[in-house]
Amino acid sequence: MTAYDWQKSSYCAQGDSCLHVAAGGDRTVKLTESSDPGEAILSTTPAAFAALTRALKANRG
């Protein structure tokens, strides 16, 4: 299994439901959560991740 340099979300409090993000060596963005960091890994493009981030920021309320 590939080891990634995971970064925890700055919005994460202490707990098991934190989003972690890492850059993949294949020019992808990897996403996982604290409760299952080695198994449930989503992979996306940097452009799609940027679009998701913009959408989430636009819908803050």
Side-chain angles (χ1 to χ4, degrees):
M1 184 172 139
T2 303
Y4 297 106
D5 186 18
W6 295 107
Q7 296 179 24
K8 184 168 60 170
S9 169
S10 60
Y11 288 94
C12 182
Q14 299 298 330
D16 289 336
S17 298
C18 298
L19 178 67
H20 293 254
V21 179
D26 54 354
R27 297 181 187 229
T28 61
V29 176
K30 307 294 185 187
L31 303 164
T32 192
E33 64 172 319
S34 297
S35 64
D36 194 12
E39 296 297 323
I41 298 174
L42 301 175
S43 182
T44 188
T45 65
F49 182 68
L52 172 65
T53 304
R54 280 192 303 274
L56 292 171
K57 286 181 180 181
N59 291 314
R60 273 193 244 176

